[in-house]
Amino acid sequence: MINLDALTYAGNPQNLNGLPIAHHIFHKGDIGNIELVTDLLSKYQPRVIINFAAESHVDRSILGAEAFVQTNVLGTLRLLEASRNYWEALPASRQVEFRFLHVSTDEVYGSLLPDESPFQETTAYQPNSPYAASKASSDHLVRAFHETYELPTLVTNCSNNYGPYQFPEKLIPLMILNAVNMRELPVYGDGQNVRDWLYVEDHCTALDKVLTEGKVGETYNIGGRCELSNNEVVEQICEIIDGEVPAPTPRKTLIKYVEDRKGHDRRYAVDCSKIERELGWFPRESFSSGLMKTVRWYLTNPEWSRNVTSGKYREWLDLNYRNRA
Ligand code: TYD
């Protein structure tokens, strides 16, 4: 396996510790560097390409959209170009095996009202944040490369992930680290926004299924069938941490309602019946078991957290949270 990663602020070589070296070759670099990608493809001759690379934090995209267009849109376009050149030059027997899997998000579908049905693969795109717009754009490019050049693509649109190694700008790891350290827990708006949570390993098994059994040119929605409000998520985190690391006051008292995110999508929910029905994939982890594993991982890996919460991270916290009344 060849891993190409630009190691921007959320990347961390420590995340690769423990991977069997013989099966894993790491290259630091950008998917938008077409010469580099072309060289890697010609050197290693991969059977599949999975595009996990993205700027993915909505709050950052609200404060500056350009990096999102650069990586998510232009980067994906260049990766598609290099992949197409590589694929077209393969012998026919290898061409039929080749897959380009593009990993995307449910946020491209926009926001749901409380009584609306979950997003299906046929739901019209209506991205609301600059992040979602950049991912929607990349999804369209992947689709276009399949329709135009017959590149054997697959697209997945997944709901909110959580689990070990997640950078603590996202809700769950941010709240875990703040709660462990008895810091304020900043909940945006009224905390009634709903997300559909999926444990990261369940996402990985879904991607594996799509890669090996998915139908070329198709999109598969992936979700946890686990809709929870942010209040429910934060309260569960507080309860687990109170149990693991008792404190004089319950962590719930640290919750602070702060100014809402601009254009904050109210609800995401994914209808994953297509991947269940056609590929036989189901999430294995419940939210409480996945959250317990996640909290314990952060509790037993304080060094990892210390390393990623450096000066740049603190600058981000200051930028994002200082003006939220
Ligand atoms: P996030 O993890 O940023 O994922 P996304 O915006 O892609 O769904 O946020 C999840 C939810 O948590 C979202 O409704 C915003 C909310 N949130 C807070 O209330 N406080 C925070 O400090 C953060 C980072 C998120």
Side-chain angles (χ1 to χ4, degrees):
M1 185 210 291
I2 320 302
N3 178 354
L4 175 64
D5 191 322
L7 291 181
T8 55
Y9 75 92
N12 178 0
Q14 271 194 324
N15 295 352
L16 306 172
N17 289 350
L19 285 179
I21 297 296
H23 300 296
H24 184 263
I25 298 163
F26 182 79
H27 268 273
K28 181 172 168 1
D30 190 332
I31 57 164
N33 182 342
I34 204 156
E35 291 82 21
L36 171 66
V37 174
T38 301
D39 284 351
L40 291 174
L41 294 180
S42 110
K43 182 167 176 198
Y44 295 109
Q45 299 280 308
R47 195 171 47 81
V48 302
I49 294 172
I50 308 180
N51 182 20
F52 282 112
E55 290 287 338
S56 68
H57 192 43
V58 173
D59 291 320
R60 286 187 191 255
S61 81
I62 292 168
L63 290 172
E66 205 161 308
F68 289 72
V69 174
Q70 198 65 40
T71 295
N72 301 358
V73 185
L74 264 180
T76 300
L77 173 63
R78 293 190 179 139
L79 187 63
L80 282 163
E81 290 283 14
S83 305
R84 178 190 156 215
N85 292 339
Y86 166 72
W87 171 73
E88 284 181 343
L90 286 175
S93 61
R94 299 202 47 221
Q95 270 189 347
V96 292
E97 285 189 335
F98 182 81
R99 297 287 181 274
F100 183 103
L101 169 57
H102 177 67
V103 179
S104 191
T105 168
D106 58 354
E107 301 194 24
V108 296
Y109 298 120
S111 180
L112 292 166
L113 296 170
D115 56 350
E116 267 184 300
S117 310
F119 303 128
Q120 294 181 311
E121 288 81 358
T122 49
T123 302
Y125 274 31
Q126 207 162 46
N128 292 322
S129 70
Y131 159 64
S134 70
K135 287 300 287 185
S137 171
S138 66
D139 294 6
H140 290 322
L141 284 169
V142 174
R143 179 191 155 83
F145 268 64
H146 175 66
E147 293 296 322
T148 309
Y149 308 110
E150 295 176 28
L151 187 71
T153 60
L154 296 154
V155 175
T156 54
N157 294 90
C158 189
S159 62
N160 284 62
N161 277 216
Y162 68 99
Y165 298 102
Q166 191 172 31
F167 193 72
E169 61 187 354
K170 300 285 168 71
L171 178 74
I172 289 184
L174 180 96
M175 294 296 171
I176 292 173
L177 293 188
N178 281 9
V180 168
N181 295 302
M182 299 303 285
R183 289 195 295 259
E184 276 179 357
L185 307 175
V187 174
Y188 297 164
D190 62 4
Q192 291 303 334
N193 302 68
V194 168
R195 299 292 184 263
D196 178 352
W197 292 97
L198 183 72
Y199 190 64
V200 62
E201 282 181 19
D202 281 325
H203 189 185
C204 294
T205 60
L207 295 176
D208 193 40
K209 274 269 181 202
V210 170
L211 203 51
T212 50
E213 293 170 41
K215 202 166 146 234
V216 163
E218 293 282 310
T219 288
Y220 296 89
N221 280 353
I222 306 169
R225 293 195 184 276
C226 175
E227 286 185 58
L228 292 168
S229 71
N230 294 337
N231 285 327
E232 289 170 312
V233 170
V234 175
E235 280 169 21
Q236 283 201 43
I237 291 172
C238 289
E239 277 164 29
I240 292 180
I241 298 179
D242 284 344
E244 299 286 302
V245 192
T249 46
R251 259 79 174 191
K252 262 206 268 197
T253 57
L254 299 169
I255 292 175
K256 186 176 173 212
Y257 289 94
V258 299
E259 189 183 312
D260 211 351
R261 174 185 280 173
K262 286 184 179 42
H264 195 173
D265 283 341
R266 197 64 176 164
R267 173 175 166 241
Y268 304 143
V270 167
D271 179 344
C272 51
S273 53
K274 176 175 170 182
I275 186 172
E276 289 177 348
R277 193 178 56 246
E278 294 185 11
L279 307 185
W281 171 86
F282 297 90
R284 294 180 63 174
E285 211 70 57
S286 69
F287 188 68
S288 50
S289 66
L291 191 61
M292 180 60 92
K293 282 187 182 175
T294 306
V295 168
R296 288 194 173 146
W297 187 86
Y298 282 92
L299 288 175
T300 49
N301 290 280
E303 203 183 319
W304 182 92
S305 302
R306 257 198 308 280
N307 287 344
V308 301
T309 53
S310 61
K312 278 253 176 305
Y313 175 74
R314 280 194 290 277
E315 277 170 33
W316 161 251
L317 291 185
D318 185 46
L319 188 67
N320 189 45
Y321 293 96
R322 82 181 149 208
N323 291 327
R324 290 183 193 270

